[in-house]
Amino acid sequence: MALALGESSFFLLVVILTANSMLPLSYASLPAVFIFGDSTVDVGTNNYLNGTATATDRFYGIDYPYSMPTGRFSNGLNTADFIVSLLGDGRESPPPYLALANNMAGFKSKILRGVNFASGGSGILEDTGNKTWKAVVSLRNQIDQFAIVQENILEVLGKAKGEHLVANSLYIISSGSNDFVEFTQNNPFVSSTTIMTDVQSNFTKHLKTLYSLGARKFAIVSVPAIGCIPAVRAIVGGSCLDDLNNSSRVFYSSMTKILDNFSSTSEGFLYSIGNTYLMTMSIIDNARANGFREAINACCGTGDFNGGDKCTPTSNLCKNRDEYLFWDWFHPTQRASSLAALTLVFAEGKEFVTPINFSQLASKEV
Ligand SMILES: *[C@@H]1O[C@H](CO)[C@@H](O)[C@H](O)[C@H]1NC(C)=O
Ligand SMILES: *[C@@H]1O[C@H](CO)[C@@H](O)[C@H](O)[C@H]1NC(C)=O
Ligand SMILES: *[C@@H]1O[C@H](CO)[C@@H](O)[C@H](O)[C@H]1NC(C)=O
Ligand SMILES: *[C@@H]1O[C@H](CO)[C@@H](O)[C@H](O)[C@H]1NC(C)=O
Ligand SMILES: *[C@@H]1O[C@H](CO)[C@@H](O)[C@H](O)[C@H]1NC(C)=O
Ligand SMILES: *[C@@H]1O[C@H](CO)[C@@H](O)[C@H](O)[C@H]1NC(C)=O
Ligand SMILES: *[C@@H]1O[C@H](CO)[C@@H](O)[C@H](O)[C@H]1NC(C)=O
């Protein structure tokens, strides 16, 4: 590992943050949060599709109120929920677009408080997830849905107020893992960096589209250490897959360049990017110091590392879910997501989130 991290710096950071986060926050300049991406931030979009990337059975949601599966790929809440609640913008993520669109009654008032477009299994590339999971909402389609929302906001509030809301809202994007993982599954002997240029150019294109629709405040969650998830360890036979880790790191550094270039060439463009690769690796390398007992096996699943399949009612289920980094073959536990969100929102220094943290981004007035 080439990480120059202090033994327990992530842990210390998080302890300090946990104390700070007791303060209720509220940002006058943050009217709404719009969320795009994959299963790391999906709060039930896929419940409205006929695909197979779903989290609607036990034991998903076992730690959610009433142990209810909601479609979140977690034992409870996910990173989007925690970011939104830490920013003081509600108890959890705003609802899925498809839930609002299926119930047109409240649509025009509810969208003013934010919408979650994220779809498990999707990626930055148009086709990612489509065949593997039968039906996902691609990032491009998520942005098309946002265009409908944006149009309605301008119609409801009028042009000036509507544009102000759109510009001052926060745009969280957490996508890219599935592009690389799916490529590796389909091409086991080819480096996943083969698709790097396509992923970069499509990411840039999506940012441009959102910017042209009036979005200004971009909160980017990078690709975590996908080479070390239980599903990959189960296939490789134990160790992390360096090639996938490499793709996470290379894509993170190219995203920082793309975003930096955007902010110097596009007026009003603001961003913050979190290095979730580094967050995952610091927990894996120092699990106990970070309060985890298990950073390799999934809590719920079957087969090696509980990484053979998704969590189902007949899977192995661990007892102490808060001690696990991974909830299932692909996803972090609620506790790991909460630590990631605390870091993204409040971290000091530029190691984990740069050039500013999400709370500072949220408080900027455009
Ligand atoms: C899903 O399948 C059901 C039953 O086959 C069908 O009625 C419904 O329209 C489908 N939904 C979508 C979003 O394709
Ligand atoms: C992706 O899925 C949608 C909906 O099922 C379908 O209409 C579309 O043709 C698919 N695209 C590709 C490239 O498979
Ligand atoms: C990581 O990816 C970069 C470019 O995408 C490539 O040049 C480099 O050789 C890769 N490194 C390893 C260790 O795979
Ligand atoms: C996006 O990715 C596709 C391959 O999936 C590629 O053909 C295309 O050139 C990429 N770039 C843009 C800007 O769409
Ligand atoms: C991926 O993770 C493994 C296990 O910690 C580590 O040894 C390796 O250096 C990582 N690879 C890359 C390219 O970061
Ligand atoms: C920076 O952005 C400008 C304007 O969009 C673009 O023309 C240029 O190619 C970008 N440069 C890099 C290095 O990406
Ligand atoms: C991160 O957020 C906190 C709380 O808003 C702020 O006090 C702090 O200065 C920020 N840190 C950095 C490095 O930007």
Side-chain angles (χ1 to χ4, degrees):
M1 264 328 296
L3 297 179
L5 268 184
E7 267 297 291
S8 55
S9 59
F10 188 69
F11 175 64
L12 289 178
L13 168 87
V14 164
V15 170
I16 296 162
L17 296 174
T18 312
N20 276 343
S21 66
M22 297 298 127
L23 304 171
L25 292 172
S26 184
Y27 300 89
S29 46
L30 180 66
V33 180
F34 298 100
I35 298 154
F36 303 84
D38 58 26
S39 54
T40 53
V41 290
D42 181 347
V43 294
T45 296
N46 287 8
N47 299 356
Y48 297 86
L49 309 176
N50 284 332
T52 54
T54 53
T56 45
D57 289 332
R58 282 194 314 141
F59 297 107
Y60 288 97
I62 186 168
D63 296 310
Y64 194 83
Y66 307 104
S67 292
M68 185 173 70
T70 59
R72 286 171 176 79
F73 297 77
S74 165
N75 53 309
L77 297 169
N78 68 26
T79 306
D81 294 309
F82 287 114
I83 293 172
V84 168
S85 81
L86 290 171
L87 291 174
D89 211 48
R91 275 180 44 247
E92 54 180 52
S93 163
Y97 172 81
L98 292 178
L100 297 173
N102 273 17
N103 175 13
M104 291 309 283
F107 185 77
K108 290 190 186 213
S109 61
K110 286 183 181 146
I111 55 172
L112 302 179
R113 309 189 54 195
V115 179
N116 187 320
F117 302 91
S119 170
S122 73
I124 289 170
L125 300 178
E126 183 60 14
D127 291 346
T128 296
N130 210 337
K131 290 205 184 71
T132 311
W133 308 110
K134 312 289 187 265
V136 301
V137 185
S138 70
L139 190 52
R140 187 178 63 79
N141 283 334
Q142 293 175 33
I143 295 171
D144 288 347
Q145 293 172 339
F146 172 71
I148 297 172
V149 165
Q150 185 257 22
E151 205 181 302
N152 276 276
I153 291 173
L154 299 198
E155 190 191 305
V156 172
L157 297 181
K159 194 168 183 299
K161 275 192 177 164
E163 281 173 353
H164 186 264
L165 183 146
V166 169
N168 282 285
S169 296
L170 195 65
Y171 296 80
I172 298 173
I173 307 176
S174 177
S175 189
S177 300
N178 293 318
D179 299 295
F180 299 111
V181 171
E182 192 174 289
F183 181 85
T184 296
Q185 282 166 338
N186 295 338
N187 308 274
F189 304 109
V190 186
S191 168
S192 62
T193 58
T194 305
I195 58 167
M196 191 63 70
T197 318
D198 280 346
V199 176
Q200 288 162 349
S201 64
N202 280 272
F203 177 70
T204 306
K205 182 185 68 178
H206 296 315
L207 287 178
K208 274 195 183 130
T209 312
L210 283 169
Y211 181 83
S212 74
L213 289 166
R216 291 296 179 267
K217 291 155 65 165
F218 294 84
I220 311 295
V221 181
S222 77
V223 173
I226 43 178
C228 299
I229 57 176
V232 169
R233 284 195 199 262
I235 293 167
V236 177
S239 55
C240 299
L241 194 58
D242 278 1
D243 177 67
L244 280 173
N245 278 357
N246 189 40
S247 280
S248 304
R249 289 194 315 171
V250 172
F251 186 48
Y252 172 78
S253 74
S254 61
M255 278 198 294
T256 60
K257 291 194 188 93
I258 292 167
L259 291 160
D260 184 50
N261 186 35
F262 248 108
S263 70
S264 57
T265 54
S266 308
E267 202 191 333
F269 184 97
L270 296 168
Y271 75 96
S272 167
I273 177 167
N275 189 345
T276 45
Y277 172 80
L278 194 56
M279 292 179 209
T280 331
M281 290 314 295
S282 15
I283 291 179
I284 291 174
D285 291 344
N286 284 294
R288 279 175 186 266
N290 286 292
F292 292 93
R293 284 179 167 270
E294 182 56 68
I296 294 180
N297 296 295
C299 169
C300 184
T302 48
D304 294 345
F305 309 104
N306 279 340
D309 202 349
K310 71 178 186 178
C311 172
T312 72
T314 56
S315 298
N316 305 316
L317 176 69
C318 73
K319 274 213 180 69
N320 301 318
R321 294 177 283 278
D322 284 352
E323 295 178 347
Y324 279 67
L325 168 58
F326 293 105
W327 157 244
D328 71 0
W329 60 339
F330 274 89
H331 308 102
T333 53
Q334 162 170 269
R335 173 148 184 275
S337 303
S338 147
L339 293 186
L342 277 165
T343 308
L344 293 164
V345 174
F346 294 118
E348 304 273 351
K350 299 191 190 309
E351 194 173 18
F352 292 108
V353 53
T354 186
I356 53 176
N357 58 38
F358 284 14
S359 67
Q360 289 172 303
L361 180 65
S363 65
K364 296 255 185 203
E365 176 98 47
V366 181

